[in-house]
Each structure stands twice: as structure tokens, then as C-alpha cells.
Amino acid sequence: MWVCGMSEARELRGKEIATASNQIERVDRRNYLVKSQSGRGFYTVHSENASGWQCSCPDHMYREVKCKHIWAVEFSLRLRQAVQPQVTVIEPIDVHACLYCQSPQIARDGIRHNNHGNIQKFRCKACGRYFTINLGFERMKHSPQGITAAMQLYFSGESLRNTAKSLRLIGVEVSHKTIYCWIKKYVALMEKYLSQIKPQVSDTWRADEMFLKIKGNPKYLYALLDDETRYWIAKEVAGDKFSREAPEYASQLFRQGKEVAGKKPLTLITDGLHAYELAYRREFYAHEKPVTKHVEHVTWRGEKGNEKMESFNGNTVRSREKTMRSLKREDTPILTGMQIFHNHVRPHMALHGKTPAEACGIEVKGENKWLTLIQNASRSESSNHQ
Ligand SMILES: [Zn+2]
Ligand SMILES: [Zn+2]
């Protein structure tokens, strides 16, 4: 009983040391210095292999017990693991290696024909799987560069017609209707792929609605954003923001947010729109902890504190109003494309050139992020079918 009590006391002290500041210094993966709790110097906590820790304190050396210093190192390692965000890196795909196992041992294996010409098929000598090199663009008449340039131009704010005109300058002859088809096809592909990767958003979210014209009709785009990283978590398109259906749309927005982030926020910031209050009570309010706080910024449009939302409004959506007239009611690929552009492609000044997704632990590598995303989405799609 007494021994048990002593070891519990060591564990408890270890926890206190681990959570206090400046008590543990990391030398390297196997060596830590833990401050002597009597105030003189450090003890060294060392691990020869994965089997366990040795401490230089008398408690460990002579009594051969698991001392509070070892407990402290173990706790601090566990704490670090818990706060260290998991990073998902999406790499460009090397088109000269096997798509599946990255082996460079590949061989030509016949030609596949389609309307737009011939596609070289390859077989991997290492894993035996078949693939084509033009991943994601196999049946396309135009090059990956032309197609991704179109997406970049369009989502940076050009109209479909202007995008087509600009492409003509680089020798890509294409109609604005074809560009629209590319966007639809690739946005759907990327959306499916990206929905499997969870962004690590903060605990403070903001909701706002933006005025849009879709086919000349006034609409509202409801958006839910992470306040820290500006990650655009969820969206919903609705008619009138004061209509009887408005709380329903706001609730859908919040439900979608919970699904995407895998959690509820601790703080929700909205303007004074009544629909948000009702939706908050439905989706976020709880009796037991953690309780989500709802902060309403009633006068927020003229306010300074709303710069984040304003810049989202201005850069991402408002400048698009002109080019949105061709949108149909159910036409979400464009809005989803804007969301992908905002989260994964466009670097943000306020994030020191990072994208919101990078700030949430999703790093899309390569000069051409559209290309990286499309390649990875196609590979994931084709391995699902194998
Ligand atoms: Zn010790
Ligand atoms: Zn292979």
C-alpha cells in the first residue's frame, strides 16, 4: 500500500514537472535534462534503446524505481505528441516512375486508343501494375499545362471568355464552354480526393454570408471559416437571408463544418443574423463540456475587427460577382473550385505566404498545385477501382 502510494506520488510529481515551464531540456531524442526539484542542477534522463529510461538521480540509481524525472520526460513526450499537428504532404507525382510503387523499372506496354489520339501504356516491373503516364489528363485533347493555366486564370478572377482569350496567347485554342467543362470535371475529382483529408482547424470559427448574383438572381453564399488559418471549412447557398428557411441553411452549414473538421468550435463568431443564433443552438450548443461560445458582432460590417471576413469577401467572392452570372442555382462546381483555390492554391499574405490548408497541416507541393492535386486525385481514384 505504502509502495503503491509512493509510486503514485512520483507519477504525480512527474506530471507537474512536465507541465511546468523550463523544467525539462531536450538534448536529443535519447537524452533529456530535468531540473532537480531541490533547486540544484539537472539530472540526466537517458535512454540507450527503446526499452526504457535511466536517470542519474539517487532515487533511480539506488532505489531502482521509476523516478519523477523519468515520469516527467515520458509525460512531456506524450504532451508533445498530442499537440504536434499531423502533416499531410501531397507531392507532385514523378511521371517517369511507377504511379503506385515509385519504381523506375517501367516498360512500355502497348498503346491505348481514344478519340483524341493514342496513349502510351506502361507496366511496372516491380509491382506488375499498369498505368499511363499522362495521369489525370489521359483523355484530354489539351495539355495539363493549358488546363491548369485555365483554372488558375479563372479562379484568380477572370471570366470564362477572358480565360479563353488569354489561353489563345499561349497557343491553346479552346472555347469558354470547354473551359467550363474542365473546371467541372477537375473540381469534382479534387473535391472527392480532398474530402478524405481532415484539415486541422483551430477552435475559433467565423460565419458570414455574402451576396451573390446567380443567373441574375440575388443569392447568399453562407461560409464558415477558421479564424486562425482562414481555412474555408464549409459553404451553403441560399435565397434570402431573412427568409424562413435561413436557419435551415445556417444549420446545414454548421453541420457540414462539424463533419469536415471532426469537431465543434469552442468559439463561434457571427454577425447578428437571427438564423445563426437558431442554428448555433441546434448544432453547437451543449450542456456538457466543451461548451461552444457564441459571439455576435452585431455592428460588424463597419467594424475594424472584421477585416478577416472582409478580405475573404473581397478577394475570394466579391470580385467574382461579374463572372458569376452564368451560374445556375445548383451549380456548385464553381463555388467548390473557389473553395479549393482559396484553401490550397492561393498563398495568403497574412499567413506569410502559406495557404490556409498549409496552416492546417495539408501541404500541396510543386510549382503547379493544380497539377499536383489533379494527379494525386486521379491516382487515388484509379487505385480505388483496382
Ligand atoms: Zn530521477
Ligand atoms: Zn510499381
Side-chain angles (χ1 to χ4, degrees):
M1 194 59 214
W2 184 80
V3 175
C4 172
M6 279 297 285
S7 96
E8 271 169 15
R10 288 188 183 96
E11 185 178 342
L12 199 67
R13 281 295 292 137
K15 212 178 236 171
E16 286 167 7
I17 295 169
T19 48
S21 54
N22 300 325
Q23 298 296 302
I24 303 174
E25 196 181 309
R26 183 177 191 267
V27 180
D28 57 38
R29 202 160 53 83
R30 297 190 184 285
N31 291 286
Y32 289 82
L33 297 174
V34 181
K35 251 190 195 154
S36 157
Q37 297 305 296
S38 59
R40 267 165 288 142
F42 289 90
Y43 294 115
T44 58
V45 176
H46 165 79
S47 161
E48 202 56 62
N49 46 49
S51 69
W53 296 96
Q54 310 292 323
C55 181
S56 62
C57 77
D59 206 20
H60 183 78
M61 299 271 284
Y62 304 115
R63 293 200 197 97
E64 293 179 21
V65 294
K66 185 168 172 179
C67 63
K68 55 185 175 255
H69 313 106
I70 293 176
W71 277 112
V73 168
E74 287 188 354
F75 276 122
S76 82
L77 285 175
R78 234 178 286 163
L79 282 175
R80 258 193 29 185
Q81 255 167 10
V83 296
Q84 222 158 46
Q86 255 187 313
V87 177
T88 305
V89 180
I90 304 174
E91 295 277 4
I93 292 174
D94 177 4
V95 292
H96 302 292
C98 168
L99 294 182
Y100 302 100
C101 73
Q102 273 72 53
S103 162
Q105 301 287 315
I106 56 174
R108 284 166 204 275
D109 193 277
I111 302 277
R112 191 204 282 164
H113 304 277
N114 75 14
N115 300 341
H116 301 309
N118 302 329
I119 296 168
Q120 180 64 58
K121 261 174 66 187
F122 289 84
R123 198 183 92 90
C124 173
K125 289 180 185 164
C127 74
R129 279 180 276 198
Y130 293 88
F131 56 92
T132 56
I133 285 292
N134 207 11
L135 182 64
F137 301 90
E138 290 90 344
R139 278 158 226 281
M140 306 303 280
K141 195 169 134 197
H142 291 279
S143 71
Q145 285 64 35
I147 292 169
T148 52
M151 299 183 67
Q152 182 66 23
L153 283 164
Y154 180 74
F155 288 113
S156 301
E158 290 300 330
S159 67
L160 287 173
R161 276 169 211 278
N162 278 343
T163 300
K165 271 188 211 159
S166 301
L167 287 183
R168 230 159 279 151
L169 299 178
I170 56 167
V172 180
E173 219 33 79
V174 68
S175 73
H176 67 276
K177 283 189 182 131
T178 303
I179 296 175
Y180 181 77
C181 291
W182 292 346
I183 290 171
K184 231 169 110 174
K185 172 187 161 112
Y186 287 112
V187 163
L189 183 73
M190 288 185 283
E191 183 186 27
K192 197 171 160 198
Y193 170 67
L194 288 169
S195 70
Q196 302 158 19
I197 306 168
K198 204 170 280 286
Q200 285 156 33
V201 295
S202 81
D203 293 317
T204 304
W205 300 358
R206 271 173 200 266
D208 197 13
E209 65 287 336
M210 278 144 270
F211 180 71
L212 286 181
K213 262 191 193 155
I214 300 183
K215 268 218 153 168
N217 297 317
K219 298 281 177 199
Y220 281 90
L221 170 64
Y222 288 71
L224 190 59
L225 286 108
D226 175 23
D227 195 46
E228 226 165 79
T229 63
R230 289 155 201 226
Y231 192 91
W232 183 357
I233 303 168
K235 65 178 181 319
E236 196 64 46
V237 178
D240 189 339
K241 66 171 174 169
F242 301 109
S243 74
R244 225 181 307 145
E245 294 77 41
E248 205 42 62
Y249 288 116
S251 300
Q252 263 169 44
L253 179 78
F254 293 169
R255 262 202 302 282
Q256 210 192 101
K258 283 192 285 190
E259 220 169 275
V260 170
K263 64 178 184 183
K264 292 196 277 185
L266 295 179
T267 307
L268 172 72
I269 307 170
T270 69
D271 61 19
L273 190 66
H274 189 55
Y276 286 136
E277 178 58 29
L278 294 174
Y280 157 79
R281 269 186 246 154
R282 259 191 232 167
E283 300 300 328
F284 291 145
Y285 183 76
H287 286 292
E288 62 289 350
K289 281 186 179 174
V291 178
T292 304
K293 215 169 37 167
H294 184 197
V295 180
E296 279 180 301
H297 270 241
V298 183
T299 54
W300 107 330
R301 275 185 205 281
E303 225 175 48
K304 261 216 138 136
N306 193 26
E307 273 158 9
K308 281 181 185 170
M309 213 64 217
E310 283 302 323
S311 90
F312 172 74
N313 252 313
N315 295 332
T316 307
V317 183
R318 197 156 290 154
S319 58
R320 306 255 25 156
E321 224 180 88
K322 278 184 296 193
T323 60
M324 286 286 218
R325 271 177 216 143
S326 59
L327 289 193
K328 298 183 196 82
R329 169 78 174 85
E330 60 289 345
D331 209 3
T332 51
I334 297 297
L335 295 176
T336 304
M338 280 165 48
Q339 200 176 1
I340 294 173
F341 179 66
H342 172 95
N343 285 340
H344 296 276
V345 180
R346 190 169 64 113
H348 284 229
M349 298 247 278
L351 300 171
H352 307 287
K354 278 190 189 179
T355 64
E358 280 168 347
C360 292
I362 306 170
E363 295 178 11
V364 182
K365 300 285 191 197
E367 274 301 305
N368 184 339
K369 295 189 181 202
W370 293 113
L371 189 61
T372 304
L373 284 172
I374 291 170
Q375 286 178 330
N376 280 275
S378 312
R379 178 169 64 184
S380 136
E381 185 84 350
S382 61
S383 53
N384 285 344
H385 289 307
Q386 278 204 343

